Amino acid sequence: DPSDYEVVSVPGELFGSVVIAPAENMAVLYTNATASPRVVVLRLEDRATRVLDTTQPIHAVALSPDGKHAVVTAGTATES
């Protein structure tokens, strides 16, 4: 039932992946389908968002168990 879910809009941002901290307090939204260098940090308690520019296209994101730290792997694509 769609009414069981809350929609959080982040205008101008594209994301297709999300990582949620085990503490369920923070989430990081990002895409690796395009060369976007931005991640959206979402505080789940109040749905506050913050957009961060990593300056390089995102590959993957991992969050610490408490949601206070993130590791972002990023970089330019290499040709094989």
Side-chain angles (χ1 to χ4, degrees):
D1 182 3
S3 65
D4 289 342
Y5 300 94
E6 181 178 349
V7 175
V8 177
S9 178
V10 187
E13 296 305 318
L14 177 66
F15 47 87
S17 298
V18 62
V19 177
I20 301 173
E24 298 180 355
N25 59 338
M26 299 294 282
V28 176
L29 302 92
Y30 67 99
T31 185
N32 54 17
T34 66
S36 174
R38 292 187 304 274
V39 297
V40 177
V41 179
L42 171 62
R43 190 170 53 219
L44 296 174
E45 177 182 317
D46 59 4
R47 309 303 188 254
T49 60
R50 182 176 177 196
V51 178
L52 302 174
D53 188 339
T54 68
T55 71
Q56 296 290 319
I58 306 299
H59 291 204
V61 177
L63 278 171
S64 65
D66 62 7
K68 292 182 179 180
H69 305 279
V71 174
V72 177
T73 58
T76 57
T78 58
E79 293 186 31
S80 51

XYZ file of all heavy atoms in Angstrom:
586
model
N 0.839 -1.179 0.000
C 0.000 0.000 0.000
C 0.885 1.244 0.000
O 1.630 1.475 0.959
C -0.913 -0.030 1.211
C -1.858 1.149 1.263
O -1.869 1.984 0.329
O -2.601 1.236 2.239
N 0.835 2.066 -1.054
C 1.693 3.263 -1.129
C 1.503 4.240 0.020
O 2.410 4.987 0.365
C 1.285 3.900 -2.458
C 0.711 2.791 -3.252
C 0.057 1.858 -2.261
N 0.346 4.248 0.643
C 0.137 5.186 1.754
C 0.915 4.790 2.999
O 1.008 5.563 3.954
C -1.355 5.299 2.078
O -1.851 4.061 2.565
N 1.519 3.606 3.006
C 2.347 3.161 4.130
C 3.742 3.779 4.102
O 4.515 3.595 5.029
C 2.504 1.637 4.120
C 1.217 0.924 4.491
O 0.325 1.561 5.081
O 1.114 -0.277 4.179
N 4.077 4.507 3.026
C 5.413 5.037 2.846
C 5.398 6.554 2.762
O 4.457 7.152 2.254
C 6.047 4.470 1.563
C 6.145 2.974 1.608
C 5.141 2.179 1.062
C 7.217 2.356 2.214
C 5.220 0.799 1.130
C 7.311 0.969 2.277
C 6.298 0.199 1.730
O 6.377 -1.157 1.798
N 6.469 7.161 3.235
C 6.624 8.605 3.136
C 7.587 8.911 1.991
O 8.628 8.260 1.866
C 7.205 9.152 4.436
C 7.379 10.648 4.440
C 7.916 11.170 5.763
O 7.952 10.406 6.729
O 8.289 12.344 5.794
N 7.261 9.881 1.184
C 8.105 10.290 0.074
C 8.916 11.508 0.508
O 8.366 12.477 1.018
C 7.271 10.629 -1.177
C 8.157 11.179 -2.284
C 6.501 9.404 -1.644
N 10.221 11.427 0.302
C 11.112 12.549 0.586
C 11.653 13.042 -0.746
O 12.297 12.289 -1.474
C 12.275 12.138 1.512
C 13.229 13.289 1.734
C 11.734 11.611 2.839
N 11.382 14.281 -1.069
C 11.805 14.856 -2.343
C 13.093 15.650 -2.154
O 13.240 16.395 -1.187
C 10.710 15.767 -2.875
O 11.113 16.358 -4.079
N 14.024 15.476 -3.081
C 15.266 16.248 -3.092
C 15.382 16.842 -4.497
O 15.965 16.228 -5.390
C 16.492 15.380 -2.751
C 17.734 16.246 -2.616
C 16.261 14.559 -1.490
N 14.792 18.010 -4.704
C 14.763 18.610 -6.040
C 16.153 18.762 -6.665
O 17.102 19.160 -5.987
C 14.120 19.978 -5.800
C 13.325 19.807 -4.548
C 14.128 18.844 -3.715
N 16.249 18.402 -7.927
C 17.498 18.568 -8.666
C 18.503 17.457 -8.483
O 19.561 17.472 -9.098
N 18.193 16.469 -7.631
C 19.141 15.384 -7.384
C 18.628 14.088 -7.990
O 17.429 13.829 -8.013
C 19.388 15.198 -5.893
C 20.047 16.396 -5.245
C 21.352 16.804 -5.911
O 22.159 15.932 -6.265
O 21.561 18.009 -6.080
N 19.561 13.277 -8.465
C 19.244 11.988 -9.057
C 19.866 10.912 -8.184
O 21.053 10.983 -7.862
C 19.827 11.919 -10.476
C 19.661 10.608 -11.220
C 18.189 10.354 -11.517
C 20.460 10.641 -12.511
N 19.068 9.938 -7.778
C 19.625 8.827 -7.016
C 18.844 7.562 -7.311
O 17.669 7.598 -7.641
C 19.665 9.114 -5.517
C 18.402 9.687 -4.938
C 17.391 8.866 -4.513
C 18.253 11.057 -4.829
C 16.229 9.385 -3.976
C 17.092 11.595 -4.288
C 16.076 10.756 -3.864
N 19.507 6.452 -7.237
C 18.891 5.154 -7.471
C 19.379 4.127 -6.478
O 18.937 2.986 -6.476
N 20.306 4.537 -5.612
C 20.846 3.652 -4.587
C 20.754 4.339 -3.235
O 20.858 5.561 -3.145
C 22.318 3.326 -4.873
O 22.441 2.648 -6.103
N 20.568 3.527 -2.210
C 20.507 4.062 -0.854
C 21.216 3.103 0.092
O 21.142 1.893 -0.074
C 19.047 4.300 -0.392
C 18.253 3.004 -0.358
C 18.995 4.973 0.958
N 21.932 3.671 1.046
C 22.572 2.906 2.116
C 21.999 3.442 3.415
O 22.008 4.652 3.651
C 24.111 3.082 2.093
C 24.747 2.347 3.248
C 24.676 2.613 0.776
N 21.486 2.544 4.258
C 20.929 2.937 5.550
C 21.824 2.402 6.647
O 22.197 1.219 6.645
C 19.495 2.406 5.719
C 18.602 2.949 4.604
C 18.937 2.771 7.095
C 17.205 2.368 4.570
N 22.179 3.266 7.596
C 23.027 2.858 8.715
C 22.307 1.801 9.548
O 21.083 1.861 9.706
C 23.366 4.062 9.588
N 23.041 0.837 10.091
C 22.418 -0.169 10.955
C 21.629 0.438 12.123
O 20.631 -0.136 12.557
C 23.609 -0.988 11.454
C 24.595 -0.900 10.327
C 24.449 0.528 9.837
N 22.024 1.607 12.601
C 21.293 2.277 13.677
C 19.980 2.883 13.188
O 19.189 3.396 13.979
C 22.161 3.361 14.311
N 19.758 2.844 11.878
C 18.544 3.359 11.232
C 18.299 4.840 11.504
O 17.159 5.285 11.574
C 17.332 2.519 11.633
C 17.453 1.079 11.201
C 16.268 0.221 11.595
O 15.359 0.705 12.296
O 16.258 -0.952 11.192
N 19.382 5.597 11.637
C 19.258 7.037 11.889
C 19.684 7.888 10.700
O 19.296 9.048 10.608
C 20.066 7.435 13.122
C 21.548 7.104 12.971
O 21.927 6.251 12.173
N 22.373 7.761 13.745
N 20.477 7.340 9.802
C 20.998 8.079 8.656
C 20.920 7.206 7.412
O 21.016 5.986 7.487
C 22.457 8.485 8.875
C 22.700 9.391 10.061
S 21.960 11.002 9.893
C 23.116 11.785 8.808
N 20.780 7.903 6.273
C 20.828 7.217 4.981
C 21.625 8.092 4.020
O 21.670 9.312 4.169
C 19.427 6.986 4.433
N 22.270 7.459 3.064
C 22.971 8.178 2.003
C 22.384 7.694 0.681
O 22.292 6.493 0.436
C 24.495 7.944 2.047
C 25.178 8.619 0.875
C 25.081 8.436 3.360
N 21.968 8.639 -0.135
C 21.377 8.349 -1.432
C 22.348 8.810 -2.520
O 22.950 9.882 -2.396
C 20.041 9.077 -1.583
C 18.995 8.741 -0.519
C 19.101 9.711 0.637
C 17.623 8.760 -1.101
N 22.487 8.016 -3.566
C 23.439 8.353 -4.628
C 23.083 7.579 -5.881
O 22.209 6.709 -5.869
C 24.868 8.039 -4.183
C 25.143 6.564 -3.990
C 25.785 5.827 -4.980
C 24.749 5.902 -2.834
C 26.023 4.474 -4.818
C 24.989 4.558 -2.663
C 25.624 3.842 -3.649
O 25.856 2.498 -3.491
N 23.757 7.890 -6.960
C 23.643 7.097 -8.182
C 25.033 6.791 -8.712
O 25.950 7.593 -8.570
C 22.811 7.816 -9.264
O 22.655 6.910 -10.374
C 23.455 9.088 -9.752
N 25.158 5.614 -9.277
C 26.374 5.301 -10.030
C 25.999 4.955 -11.469
O 26.810 4.462 -12.230
C 27.203 4.198 -9.361
C 26.411 2.949 -9.096
O 25.342 2.741 -9.660
N 26.918 2.104 -8.222
N 24.750 5.257 -11.829
C 24.299 5.041 -13.205
C 24.728 6.188 -14.114
O 24.741 6.043 -15.327
C 22.780 4.893 -13.239
N 25.057 7.321 -13.516
C 25.585 8.462 -14.246
C 26.873 8.898 -13.553
O 27.200 8.411 -12.478
C 24.594 9.647 -14.265
O 24.444 10.138 -12.941
C 23.237 9.231 -14.819
N 27.553 9.845 -14.114
C 28.818 10.314 -13.542
C 28.594 11.418 -12.504
O 29.350 12.368 -12.413
C 29.738 10.806 -14.646
N 27.561 11.280 -11.689
C 27.248 12.294 -10.683
C 28.226 12.226 -9.511
O 28.467 11.154 -8.966
C 25.829 12.096 -10.142
O 25.587 12.989 -9.085
N 28.772 13.361 -9.088
C 29.686 13.386 -7.953
C 28.981 13.666 -6.621
O 29.632 13.813 -5.598
C 30.624 14.538 -8.299
C 29.733 15.504 -9.005
C 28.772 14.642 -9.802
N 27.651 13.743 -6.623
C 26.939 14.172 -5.413
C 26.291 13.010 -4.669
O 25.816 12.051 -5.276
C 25.883 15.217 -5.768
C 26.518 16.521 -6.236
C 25.510 17.611 -6.440
N 24.435 17.273 -7.356
C 24.493 17.405 -8.669
N 25.602 17.864 -9.238
N 23.468 17.097 -9.425
N 26.269 13.143 -3.341
C 25.524 12.239 -2.473
C 24.555 13.089 -1.657
O 24.819 14.259 -1.386
C 26.430 11.414 -1.531
C 27.346 10.507 -2.317
C 27.236 12.304 -0.609
N 23.435 12.490 -1.295
C 22.457 13.153 -0.450
C 22.472 12.441 0.897
O 22.248 11.231 0.967
C 21.038 13.098 -1.055
C 20.027 13.745 -0.118
C 21.017 13.769 -2.423
N 22.763 13.181 1.950
C 22.728 12.636 3.301
C 21.335 12.940 3.852
O 20.896 14.092 3.844
C 23.822 13.257 4.186
C 23.749 12.701 5.603
C 25.199 13.014 3.575
N 20.653 11.909 4.323
C 19.289 12.050 4.823
C 19.241 11.618 6.281
O 19.542 10.459 6.603
C 18.339 11.179 3.992
C 16.901 11.018 4.474
C 16.173 12.352 4.492
C 16.178 10.007 3.596
N 18.892 12.551 7.156
C 18.711 12.231 8.573
C 17.284 11.704 8.712
O 16.314 12.415 8.472
C 18.948 13.463 9.439
C 19.005 13.153 10.912
C 19.468 14.333 11.740
N 18.662 15.512 11.456
C 19.165 16.751 11.373
N 20.450 16.972 11.538
N 18.367 17.775 11.132
N 17.152 10.452 9.084
C 15.856 9.799 9.072
C 14.914 10.304 10.163
O 13.694 10.245 10.000
C 16.038 8.282 9.170
C 16.781 7.669 7.976
C 17.051 6.197 8.206
C 16.021 7.893 6.688
N 15.445 10.815 11.249
C 14.611 11.299 12.347
C 13.663 12.413 11.920
O 12.479 12.409 12.237
C 15.498 11.786 13.485
C 14.754 12.371 14.658
C 15.700 12.881 15.727
O 16.682 12.193 16.026
O 15.437 13.972 16.241
N 14.208 13.388 11.167
C 13.398 14.549 10.785
C 13.355 14.778 9.275
O 12.832 15.778 8.809
C 13.892 15.802 11.488
C 15.354 16.112 11.176
O 15.967 15.401 10.353
O 15.883 17.065 11.766
N 13.929 13.855 8.502
C 13.955 13.908 7.036
C 14.758 15.080 6.492
O 14.575 15.494 5.360
C 12.551 13.928 6.439
C 11.610 12.838 6.935
C 12.164 11.446 6.700
N 11.180 10.435 6.997
C 11.194 9.660 8.076
N 12.147 9.780 8.971
N 10.278 8.735 8.251
N 15.667 15.633 7.293
C 16.539 16.722 6.835
C 17.547 16.155 5.840
O 18.075 15.057 6.026
C 17.252 17.363 8.012
N 17.815 16.914 4.770
C 18.763 16.464 3.754
C 19.914 17.452 3.615
O 19.773 18.636 3.899
C 18.080 16.307 2.384
O 17.540 17.559 1.979
C 16.999 15.250 2.414
N 21.027 16.920 3.172
C 22.209 17.730 2.873
C 22.864 17.116 1.641
O 23.124 15.910 1.603
C 23.171 17.712 4.059
C 24.389 18.551 3.848
C 25.247 18.566 5.095
N 26.458 19.321 4.847
C 27.514 19.269 5.607
N 27.518 18.523 6.684
N 28.575 19.967 5.312
N 23.144 17.932 0.641
C 23.780 17.465 -0.588
C 25.269 17.779 -0.505
O 25.661 18.907 -0.220
C 23.156 18.138 -1.831
C 23.858 17.670 -3.100
C 21.662 17.841 -1.901
N 26.090 16.754 -0.738
C 27.544 16.917 -0.705
C 28.127 16.586 -2.070
O 27.725 15.606 -2.702
C 28.156 15.984 0.347
C 27.645 16.149 1.774
C 28.224 15.067 2.667
C 27.984 17.526 2.303
N 29.086 17.379 -2.501
C 29.765 17.166 -3.777
C 31.120 16.536 -3.501
O 31.969 17.143 -2.850
C 29.943 18.500 -4.502
C 30.454 18.335 -5.919
O 31.049 17.284 -6.239
O 30.260 19.268 -6.707
N 31.326 15.321 -3.989
C 32.597 14.622 -3.771
C 33.638 14.964 -4.828
O 34.767 14.548 -4.712
C 32.391 13.101 -3.776
O 32.025 12.682 -5.090
C 31.334 12.675 -2.779
N 33.260 15.672 -5.846
C 34.071 16.104 -6.995
C 34.422 14.976 -7.974
O 34.996 15.245 -9.009
C 35.377 16.841 -6.595
O 36.309 15.911 -6.034
C 35.102 17.982 -5.625
N 34.089 13.743 -7.650
C 34.343 12.609 -8.543
C 33.091 11.748 -8.631
O 32.317 11.671 -7.663
C 35.494 11.741 -8.003
C 36.835 12.430 -7.938
C 37.403 12.690 -9.318
O 37.309 11.836 -10.197
N 37.985 13.854 -9.519
N 32.861 11.053 -9.746
C 31.701 10.166 -9.856
C 31.724 9.081 -8.769
O 32.772 8.511 -8.465
C 31.850 9.544 -11.241
C 32.694 10.518 -12.005
C 33.633 11.110 -10.988
N 30.572 8.808 -8.198
C 30.438 7.854 -7.100
C 30.440 6.420 -7.627
O 29.763 6.110 -8.598
C 29.118 8.097 -6.333
C 29.012 9.538 -5.869
C 28.963 7.116 -5.173
C 30.079 9.980 -4.933
N 31.177 5.555 -6.936
C 31.127 4.118 -7.226
C 30.238 3.419 -6.208
O 29.364 2.647 -6.563
C 32.515 3.501 -7.181
C 33.405 3.946 -8.284
N 34.464 3.199 -8.722
C 33.433 5.059 -9.038
C 35.086 3.840 -9.699
N 34.481 4.966 -9.899
N 30.485 3.679 -4.913
C 29.729 3.021 -3.842
C 29.860 3.836 -2.561
O 30.747 4.686 -2.447
C 30.249 1.607 -3.617
N 28.970 3.549 -1.602
C 28.971 4.236 -0.314
C 28.753 3.196 0.775
O 27.970 2.257 0.600
C 27.851 5.299 -0.234
C 27.810 5.947 1.141
C 28.037 6.363 -1.310
N 29.436 3.369 1.904
C 29.219 2.531 3.095
C 29.098 3.452 4.300
O 29.775 4.480 4.371
C 30.388 1.566 3.287
N 28.211 3.091 5.216
C 28.010 3.874 6.431
C 28.488 3.089 7.646
O 28.355 1.862 7.697
C 26.531 4.206 6.624
C 25.989 5.393 5.860
C 24.473 5.464 5.981
C 26.599 6.679 6.372
N 29.003 3.816 8.643
C 29.371 3.181 9.903
C 28.098 2.725 10.614
O 27.002 3.226 10.328
C 30.159 4.153 10.784
O 29.344 5.247 11.159
N 28.209 1.795 11.551
C 27.023 1.294 12.253
C 26.183 2.387 12.913
O 24.959 2.307 12.924
C 27.603 0.338 13.292
C 28.858 -0.159 12.661
C 29.417 1.049 11.936
N 26.841 3.438 13.436
C 26.090 4.503 14.109
C 25.647 5.611 13.155
O 24.973 6.556 13.565
C 26.895 5.097 15.255
C 28.196 5.746 14.823
O 28.457 5.866 13.609
O 28.971 6.138 15.715
N 26.022 5.532 11.894
C 25.613 6.511 10.901
C 26.373 7.825 10.954
O 26.044 8.760 10.237
N 27.406 7.908 11.778
C 28.148 9.161 11.922
C 29.266 9.338 10.904
O 29.793 10.432 10.748
C 28.733 9.262 13.334
C 27.666 9.418 14.399
C 28.284 9.572 15.769
C 27.214 9.749 16.828
N 27.803 9.897 18.164
N 29.635 8.258 10.213
C 30.735 8.318 9.252
C 30.360 7.541 7.991
O 29.641 6.553 8.058
C 32.011 7.718 9.851
C 32.410 8.343 11.130
N 33.091 9.540 11.201
C 32.204 7.948 12.413
C 33.292 9.855 12.461
N 32.767 8.913 13.228
N 30.870 8.016 6.871
C 30.632 7.336 5.598
C 31.946 7.197 4.852
O 32.843 8.032 4.976
C 29.640 8.127 4.746
N 32.032 6.144 4.072
C 33.153 5.956 3.154
C 32.557 5.938 1.758
O 31.599 5.208 1.482
C 33.877 4.608 3.424
C 34.939 4.357 2.363
C 34.477 4.604 4.806
N 33.100 6.794 0.895
C 32.636 6.899 -0.481
C 33.781 6.511 -1.391
O 34.864 7.079 -1.291
C 32.172 8.337 -0.795
C 31.767 8.465 -2.248
C 31.039 8.757 0.131
N 33.547 5.533 -2.258
C 34.548 5.235 -3.276
C 34.099 5.953 -4.540
O 32.940 5.900 -4.931
C 34.702 3.726 -3.525
O 33.455 3.175 -3.925
C 35.196 3.020 -2.282
N 35.036 6.671 -5.111
C 34.721 7.507 -6.262
C 35.949 7.619 -7.146
O 37.049 7.264 -6.753
C 34.288 8.893 -5.792
N 35.736 8.111 -8.344
C 36.855 8.320 -9.245
C 36.393 8.310 -10.673
O 35.242 7.991 -10.972
N 37.289 8.641 -11.543
C 36.951 8.668 -12.966
C 36.987 7.254 -13.528
O 37.716 6.390 -13.033
C 37.927 9.561 -13.735
O 39.256 9.087 -13.508
C 37.825 10.996 -13.289
N 36.195 7.022 -14.543
C 36.163 5.712 -15.192
C 37.461 5.503 -15.972
O 38.043 6.449 -16.509
C 34.967 5.631 -16.118
N 37.914 4.277 -16.016
C 39.099 3.954 -16.794
C 38.690 3.108 -17.992
O 37.750 2.328 -17.929
C 40.125 3.157 -15.961
O 39.507 1.974 -15.482
C 40.612 3.994 -14.787
N 39.407 3.286 -19.074
C 39.124 2.503 -20.267
C 39.943 1.228 -20.209
O 41.086 1.224 -19.783
C 39.476 3.296 -21.514
C 38.568 4.497 -21.719
C 38.861 5.185 -23.040
O 39.273 4.495 -23.988
O 38.667 6.405 -23.099
N 39.344 0.110 -20.697
C 40.090 -1.150 -20.704
C 40.591 -1.481 -22.077
O 40.261 -0.900 -23.044
C 39.197 -2.275 -20.196
O 37.976 -2.306 -20.861
